[in-house]
Every structure is written in C-alpha cells, then in structure tokens.
Amino acid sequence: MKTILTQEEILRYSRHLMVPEVGLKGQEKLKLASVLIVGAGGLGSPISLYLVAAGIGKIGLVDFDVVDSSNLQRQILHGNSQIDKLKVDSAKLRLNDLNPLVEIQTFSDYISAENIEVIARQYDIIVDGSDNFATRYLLNDYCVLNQKPYIYGSIFRFEGQISVFDATKGPCYRCIFPTPPPPGLIPTCGEGGVFGVLPGTIGTIQASEVLKIILGIGEPAYGKLFLYDALDLSLQEIKLRKNPACSICGEHPTILNLKDTAVFCAVHEAVEMPIPMDWQLDPITLSMRIKSGEKICLIDVRDPVEREIVEIPGSVNITYERIISQMDELDKTTPLIFICRNGIRSERVVRRLRSQGFNNAYNLKGGTNGWVNSIDSSQMNY
C-alpha cells in the first residue's frame, strides 16, 4: 500500500501505527499537519516535545525571551548549557535531537497584531503557551477571524485551565472572558510561583487535544473549560455557551480585524508607566535611613513563605490583599516603605495608596533582590 511515510518514519511511529484510531492514515495526517506554539516556556515545553515526538510535520515556535536559571524548575525544553540563549534556539536544538524528521521553524519575536498574520498564516492550529492576557486575546481573535482552532491553557501555582476554542464549533475565548482583569489584579507565575510539574500536566493535555483534532478522533474540548487542581487531583468540567453578544464572534461583532485587537489590548492591558522617582527608594538610601534611626515603617507585601528565603530586618509582613482591604488603618504620617521580591508588587501598592492620598508611601526599588545585591550578600536572591 502506498504511503507518504518513509521506512524510517514507519519504524519511529510504529507504536502509533498499531493503534486503530491512528494507524497509517492517521500518521500521514500528522505528517501533513502544521502547528504553531506560542511560548517556549512552561507550557510550551511539554506541548512541543510531545507534538514533535508524535510526528507533526511542521512546528512553529514563537518566543522572544532567553533562558534563565529560574526557568529550569519547570521548562524542561532547556538545560543549564542554554542559559542566556534565546529560548527558541534552545528549543530547536532539543527538538531536532528528539525528532530530526520534523520541520522546526522559530520566531524570536513578541507576537503582536503587527506580525501574527505573517507568522501564523502557514499553520493549521494555534496552541497557547503564553503567560499574559494580551497574547491570549490576540491568539483568540486571530483564530476567530481565520477560522482556526485555538488550544488554550493557563497555569498558576497548583491550578491549571484547558479548553479548545473554535468559533465555527462553539464559543471563543471572548465569549467566556469578554475583557481581561485590570493590570496587576492577577499575579503572574513570576510573582506567585508555579508548581514545577503543573505545566507538564496542562501542556500534555493541550498536546493531546491537538492530536485529536488532527486525527479526527475522540471529543475535543469545544464548549468546555476544564479546571485542574494538582493538590487534590481533581478535574472540574464547566460547560460553555456561545455568547450572541460576543464582540468578535457574536451576531453583531465590533472587532473586525486585528488592529481592533491591538487597540483593545492597549486599553485593557496597557503597561503602566514606572512610578515617579521620588516615590521610590534604592536599597542604599533605605539602609542609610534605617541606620540613622529615622522612624519609618517597612512593609513586606510578599507571601510569608517568601520571607523564609530573604527578609529585611525590621520589616513587617502584610500581604497585598490585606493592605488594600485595610487601607484605612495605615498611618498617613510615618514613611511607609513597601517591599517585594523585585519591586513590582510593591510598586502596585504604592501606586494604589498614592491615588488614595498616602503621600508617605514609597517603593523599595529592586525589592529584596536589590537589597541582597547592594546591602546584605549573606542572604539569598530568588
């Protein structure tokens, strides 16, 4: 029987060929398929490894970032030897070694409304391994406008979400989440952490959904959102419905092109400008003020577990949520110096308090990492 598979491919994928739902014809479908993976990090690692191993003909990888040692706890595409190198270059090296029969294309760019058409037009399915709302809305909108499946996944600490959005078969991402949360409301993995094996679980499920769609088997997660909790090994299924008033796939859409998406993301997810310099203290200045005996209040907004790694002496621990809910109890006369790991969470607190009249609120620039680097090398960066 004629096949487009080579003898080498027959041997490599023989365990697929023995599965009735895949077989020779199914493996040929995988070889002819093309998949774009946005993100070569926690989710992108298992997604790309398993899709390349499965024999997808062409894989595209988009990521602008470089490998950092803090990535290696969960981003299993990369290793120590690849630190400071582009993630897409590191990924291509590993994936080519895993399966040299698959074509790997890389894009070391931040995906945007300006470049997504050029990057994504040659791919059948788009898989989301990103970590921000702007990218999720962009991928969704591109897929709706181009009638492509969007394989969604997200992770935080011990919890993950998975769905398949395809406006030709059910709701899109905007049907369920019309607008993103305000900037800073939802912490990133860099601010809140992530259980190292969680992206492996969620990413592998995303890869499985891709293979099911290509092969035409099983029931892809159209119209369903799955919520996974690693702590109690639960998988909750939520039924989703198409929203007739959806701004892109509804009966009267208001988003008609990706330029509209760029404007939407600019409005809802604008990157906040840095706070004024006179709202901040560098670690050296803070150390001098502490030594002078000045009456100041040091407030650490991190989770208590983070203080086990590094702690600035004399600081008290009040988490971001408590500060915002108990704002009226704060002193408006004594200088309040807010601290986090790198100055991002504490900057949000200062911005919020300053808007409420707390002109005595200041941010420790660089956070505890800056403190360790400049003042106290006996403690640890993280």
Side-chain angles (χ1 to χ4, degrees), residues 68 70 190 283 300 302 306 309-312 339-345 364-377 379-382:
D68 183 82
S70 65
D300 190 334
R302 298 174 298 160
E306 296 177 75
I309 307 168
V310 54
E311 178 181 331
I312 296 180
I339 303 162
C340 70
R341 179 175 74 95
N342 53 14
I344 294 176
R345 282 172 282 177
L364 176 61
K365 189 175 182 180
T368 58
N369 282 345
W371 179 267
V372 169
N373 291 335
S374 300
I375 305 300
D376 187 2
S377 60
Q379 297 199 75
M380 299 288 185
N381 274 333
Y382 69 103

Side-chain angles (χ1 to χ4, degrees), residues 51 97 158 169 256 280 304 324:
L51 292 183
D97 183 55
F158 294 96
K169 295 179 171 63
L256 304 176
Q280 304 187 67
I324 300 307

